[in-house]
Amino acid sequence: MDILDPADRTLRDPQPADNLILWLPVFLCCGMGLYFGLSFEPPPAWLRGGFGLAVLGTAASFGWRNFAPWRWIAAFCIVFTLGLVLAQWRTHSVETKLLDERVWNADVAGAIESFERAGKGWRVVLKDTAVNAGADRYVLRLAIRQAGFSPNVGGMLGVKASLMPPSSPLAPGSYDFRRHAYFDGMGGYGYVTKIIDYKAPAQQAERNALENYRDWLTEKVYAALEQPEAGIVTALLNGQRAGIERKTTGILQQSGLQHVISISGLHVGLMAMTVFFVTRLLMACSMTLALNWPIKKIAAFLALLSIIFYLLIVGNSPPTLRSVLMSGMALIAVMLDREPIQMRVVALSALLILLIQPESVTDIGFQMSFAAVIGLVAFYQQTKAFWTHAAWQNSLAMKALRVLLITVVTSMIATLVTAPLVLLYFQQIPLLSMLANLLAMPPITFLIMPGTFLSYLFTPVPIIGDLAIRMMGLGVTMMMGVAEFVAHLPSAVWHAPPLPLATVFVMLLGVYAVIVIKNRWRWSGVGLVALGFMLAPLFARPDLLVTEGRVILQPDRNSDTLFVAGKLGGFEKNLLLQWTGKKTVQDFPCAGMSAGMICDREINGKKVRLILDVPSLQLACKEKADVVVTRFYLDRPCRDTLVIDRHDLERTGGQALFLQDAIRVQTVLEKNRRRPWQRRAATNRQFDKGALNWRKTPQERDDHVERSKTRYRPH
């Protein structure tokens, strides 16, 4: 008997009516995705009214219930509008207070909610945090590297810290980190420059056994291993990833092995598989147990307990929760003599997660993990006869080969299915990721995950527990060797132009239709995939970008270069390179009235003038240009010229310019108007020092800018 081979071989094939169940998560995703994709916050009455109308319309036409199209239309209307209502309810119930501006060397005081080791320091989360003795209270995550500091949950901490708000989208259409932080409950980030006061809690009542166990595991790992192994092993044992070095993350990302350090389906599945096969093998050694007890069901139950325990230890992050739900349902199906690998398990898991956390629909992990699982389930359903063939049971070597082959094929299928989403979010695909996963799966399967299980199992026996941690360290060393080898191979990463969201959505919908629909209509999915490919060229990429941080960028259409004017951080640089599909960054090659100060560029037949310093602002309108862009405040309009200055960026966020026959402008604010996570517009700002004698009151300046927009900006 095998976990892939159900005991009940009389299970019926999915009937046409079952397909409606498989489409309910899709309908729910459409409603929730529409809510989060809106450029404004819809009135709650509209959404609730739409849901009410859908329910009333279904009830009024209930006599048509035996008509198949009616069932589909009714289900779509009810579930779609329910998705809208649930997404808004979840948004308004969170109420996370977000920082709006950077604060340098601020007085910060709050209570320690949690902490984790980060290299030689700590990463601490403060709750009920006051900034400069203000009335607002935030949840902040701070990096502390002061020697001799040892945090405790519940301790009161007062520090000098530099704080940064969650970043708005760098450009229209890019990833919104503020929305992510809003639902994550994190109001801002920063680093401590000085510890002023720390009061340890009088008692440790707030710390439970699991938190103490996590800290104990961390200490054991760092006592036994060095970096980078210590950071990765700690992440795999207790879910704390702060100790993983940035260089290590980069190598894993380039090689396609970054998924290893994110607790997800791979880890939960291997944990369940390890416990299932080990406990079943041990029970099979006893003839009494093997003949009189359902050892397969007992092994599945113990595997279920093990992944629940794993969830408690590493934390209930969305990827881990998704994986435990799906693996748990599969193990319950084994205990009930039902097919463990079926699409309905995936659909029910998705429905549960979306009902609990509607914001998951915008989460990259949610999208990629379910895309991968759907592809894997479809593949293994079609090839089940091969994997359950009696030849695999002939010897222990064949069984081990089968386990290894399943692991490798799983990685390959997951890579292929998630490729459109990878192009959407990262604009690069590790071409050699399959090679990396092929070489890394043996140490992951036979050293890292068994070592994880043994580390938990032999916690009461320190000597064996230390050996298990060192076993994991050996597996991580081998895995990192594979990652470094693959990452440095030529053409390890393929950079591609970013795919539009609509293209990826239509393509994945087509693939899902081919998998789920069982009649001739399934081939309509092929048409949707083709339509997705045809839609891709219709979405134009911007010719010029200006970020909220006042960085000016031009993606060169004739090369892989991104021209930049302004200071660009390492994280922003990598993000913008991915988003534009470019490989290298260079300063603007300037040719204009004042080299280095004023830069005139010809882009698509439009003359673009960049003002790079304050004194040159007086020359902004000296010669005719189609567009004038500056990082500073410009106090005068230029006739028949589109002007973008610092005041515009503070009011609208980043901007994207499409320099065609008619200049078109998109702003971040257009996609986040009156949303709860939106950054509040700055008011009463002072002009840059040295900007000649151009001084106006804020009201005069606002009036001037609005007149300039009305007269000169294309609509």
Side-chain angles (χ1 to χ4, degrees):
M1 297 294 292
D2 192 277
I3 194 170
L4 292 176
D5 185 20
D8 185 1
R9 295 188 177 276
T10 64
L11 292 174
R12 63 184 177 85
D13 293 330
Q15 299 300 310
D18 296 336
N19 286 335
L20 182 57
I21 298 175
L22 303 182
W23 284 96
L24 293 182
V26 177
F27 300 159
L28 199 62
C29 283
C30 288
M32 293 175 175
L34 176 62
Y35 169 79
F36 290 114
L38 290 174
S39 60
F40 63 95
E41 185 67 20
W46 291 8
L47 305 187
R48 295 170 188 169
F51 176 67
L53 287 176
V55 174
L56 290 176
T58 301
S61 58
F62 193 69
W64 293 67
R65 61 185 180 277
N66 294 325
F67 185 50
W70 178 91
R71 293 195 296 269
W72 284 85
I73 295 172
F76 174 79
C77 293
I78 291 177
V79 177
F80 178 82
T81 53
L82 177 64
L84 289 167
V85 172
L86 289 177
Q88 187 174 64
W89 172 82
R90 170 65 175 168
T91 299
H92 291 173
S93 66
V94 173
E95 297 182 344
T96 301
K97 185 70 176 178
L98 301 178
L99 288 172
D100 290 311
E101 303 294 337
R102 292 194 177 193
V103 186
W104 304 107
N105 205 30
D107 291 314
V108 177
I112 297 178
E113 182 179 41
S114 64
F115 61 88
E116 58 181 307
R117 185 184 290 273
K120 297 181 180 180
W122 300 91
R123 181 179 290 172
V124 175
V125 176
L126 299 182
K127 64 179 179 180
D128 298 325
T129 308
V131 178
N132 289 331
D136 292 331
R137 293 294 181 265
Y138 302 91
V139 176
L140 303 177
R141 189 167 67 200
L142 304 178
I144 302 178
R145 298 191 178 276
Q146 279 69 16
F149 174 72
S150 181
N152 291 287
V153 171
M156 300 302 298
L157 182 63
V159 298
K160 286 283 189 180
S162 295
L163 305 177
M164 291 156 284
S167 174
S168 298
L170 293 176
S174 62
Y175 190 75
D176 193 345
F177 293 96
R178 282 187 71 85
R179 182 178 61 197
H180 175 80
Y182 178 82
F183 287 103
D184 197 35
M186 199 62 59
Y189 311 91
Y191 58 91
V192 172
T193 57
K194 181 182 178 181
I195 297 178
I196 299 175
D197 180 48
Y198 174 62
K199 295 179 181 179
Q203 57 182 358
Q204 297 292 332
E206 294 186 33
R207 261 183 100 67
N208 57 42
L210 286 175
E211 291 172 334
N212 289 324
Y213 183 55
R214 291 191 194 103
D215 293 343
W216 181 83
L217 281 175
T218 301
E219 297 299 330
K220 296 288 287 184
V221 170
Y222 276 88
L225 303 173
E226 300 291 336
Q227 290 285 26
E229 289 81 3
I232 296 177
V233 171
T234 300
L236 295 175
L237 284 176
N238 61 18
Q240 297 177 351
R241 299 174 56 185
I244 301 177
E245 298 173 339
R246 185 175 298 178
K247 177 182 177 182
T248 301
T249 303
I251 292 174
L252 291 172
Q253 186 177 29
Q254 292 177 16
S255 62
L257 292 174
Q258 190 179 15
H259 61 90
V260 174
I261 60 176
S262 175
I263 308 299
S264 57
L266 171 66
H267 309 82
V268 174
L270 288 177
M271 173 64 75
M273 186 174 66
T274 300
V275 175
F276 179 85
F277 285 111
V278 169
T279 54
R280 189 180 180 191
L281 177 63
L282 292 176
M283 287 187 290
C285 294
S286 169
M287 184 175 296
T288 301
L289 290 177
L291 295 178
N292 298 290
W293 292 83
I295 60 174
K296 179 180 179 181
K297 296 181 181 181
I298 295 174
F301 177 71
L302 294 175
L304 177 61
L305 293 181
S306 71
I307 62 175
I308 293 175
F309 174 77
Y310 193 40
L311 173 69
L312 295 175
I313 293 297
V314 302
N316 59 341
S317 64
T320 311
L321 184 60
R322 288 190 294 269
S323 305
V324 170
L325 271 176
M326 287 187 287
S327 300
M329 287 186 177
L331 291 169
I332 292 173
V334 172
M335 289 186 280
L336 298 176
D337 291 329
R338 293 295 184 265
E339 172 66 67
I341 300 179
Q342 54 180 313
M343 204 65 71
R344 277 171 287 184
V345 172
V346 182
L348 289 175
S349 301
L351 279 174
L352 285 174
I353 293 170
L354 290 171
L355 291 174
I356 298 171
Q357 296 177 328
E359 69 274 12
S360 296
V361 73
T362 65
D363 183 66
I364 300 173
F366 174 88
Q367 298 169 10
M368 294 187 66
S369 64
F370 272 101
V373 169
I374 289 169
L376 291 170
V377 170
F379 174 79
Y380 283 117
Q381 282 183 335
Q382 296 297 321
T383 60
K384 184 172 62 176
F386 171 77
W387 300 109
T388 57
H389 196 277
W392 294 111
Q393 308 297 327
N394 289 339
S395 65
L396 184 61
M398 289 296 293
K399 292 180 180 179
L401 177 62
R402 175 177 174 271
V403 171
L404 179 61
L405 188 59
I406 287 176
T407 306
V408 173
V409 171
T410 296
S411 176
M412 295 174 62
I413 297 297
T415 300
L416 291 173
V417 173
T418 57
L421 289 169
V422 172
L423 286 178
L424 172 65
Y425 291 111
F426 306 108
Q427 289 77 51
Q428 61 181 23
I429 292 181
L431 292 178
L432 302 179
S433 63
M434 293 186 187
L435 173 63
N437 281 277
L438 176 65
L439 298 177
M441 277 304 151
I444 293 173
T445 305
F446 299 112
L447 290 176
I448 295 178
M449 293 313 299
T452 303
F453 169 66
L454 294 175
S455 298
Y456 296 144
L457 183 64
F458 290 102
T459 294
V461 187
I463 296 178
I464 302 180
D466 288 344
L467 290 176
I469 289 175
R470 295 182 185 276
M471 175 181 172
M472 293 182 67
L474 175 61
V476 170
T477 301
M478 297 172 64
M479 182 191 72
M480 288 304 302
V482 170
E484 292 183 5
F485 168 73
V486 173
H488 290 92
L489 289 176
S491 303
V493 178
W494 176 56
H495 296 269
L499 288 178
L501 176 61
T503 294
V504 175
F505 175 76
V506 172
M507 291 173 61
L508 292 179
L509 187 64
V511 173
Y512 189 72
V514 172
I515 292 173
V516 171
I517 299 176
K518 300 302 180 183
N519 54 31
R520 63 181 183 275
W521 288 100
R522 70 187 310 175
W523 301 115
S524 62
V526 178
L528 288 176
V529 174
L531 177 62
F533 277 110
M534 290 187 291
L535 287 175
L538 301 180
F539 291 86
R541 306 303 299 177
D543 300 294
L544 196 68
L545 293 168
V546 189
T547 71
E548 186 179 347
R550 299 183 295 148
V551 179
I552 307 168
L553 309 105
Q554 180 207 343
D556 188 12
R557 298 187 181 276
N558 299 320
S559 67
D560 292 326
T561 302
L562 180 64
F563 295 117
V564 176
K567 185 177 180 181
L568 199 62
F571 175 75
E572 293 176 331
K573 172 185 172 182
N574 293 333
L575 191 67
L576 287 168
L577 281 174
Q578 291 178 356
W579 192 74
T580 56
K582 302 301 179 182
K583 296 181 180 179
T584 59
V585 171
Q586 293 183 12
D587 292 335
F588 268 97
C590 292
M593 296 181 293
S594 177
M597 305 300 174
I598 295 181
C599 183
D600 287 347
R601 296 279 294 167
E602 190 81 17
I603 305 176
N604 287 353
K606 303 292 184 181
K607 186 176 181 180
V608 178
R609 177 164 299 147
L610 310 181
I611 311 296
L612 305 179
D613 68 344
V614 172
S616 300
L617 291 173
Q618 58 185 331
L619 304 176
C621 308
K622 188 174 181 179
E623 293 183 4
K624 176 70 172 65
D626 296 294
V627 181
V628 172
V629 182
T630 178
R631 303 170 56 236
F632 310 101
Y633 294 114
L634 182 60
D635 195 52
R636 62 187 65 180
C638 298
R639 185 173 297 278
D640 297 327
T641 298
L642 170 63
V643 176
I644 297 174
D645 67 349
R646 180 172 178 175
H647 189 81
D648 288 319
L649 299 177
E650 289 174 350
R651 293 176 53 136
T652 67
Q655 300 195 16
L657 281 71
F658 300 83
L659 305 178
Q660 306 300 328
D661 293 336
I663 300 176
R664 184 164 56 92
V665 180
Q666 289 183 355
T667 68
V668 169
L669 182 63
E670 292 175 3
K671 296 184 176 296
N672 289 280
R673 194 176 299 276
R674 299 189 306 276
R675 306 313 296 263
W677 54 83
Q678 177 188 346
R679 181 184 64 85
R680 289 177 294 184
T683 57
N684 298 325
R685 296 301 188 87
Q686 296 296 319
F687 298 134
D688 294 89
K689 295 181 179 179
L692 303 182
N693 292 317
W694 301 345
R695 303 291 183 187
K696 290 181 180 291
T697 65
Q699 184 59 48
E700 289 173 337
R701 177 160 181 77
D702 287 347
D703 293 340
H704 155 70
V705 171
E706 291 300 325
R707 288 195 303 271
S708 178
K709 288 182 180 180
T710 302
R711 183 173 181 181
Y712 302 111
R713 178 163 297 182
H715 294 279

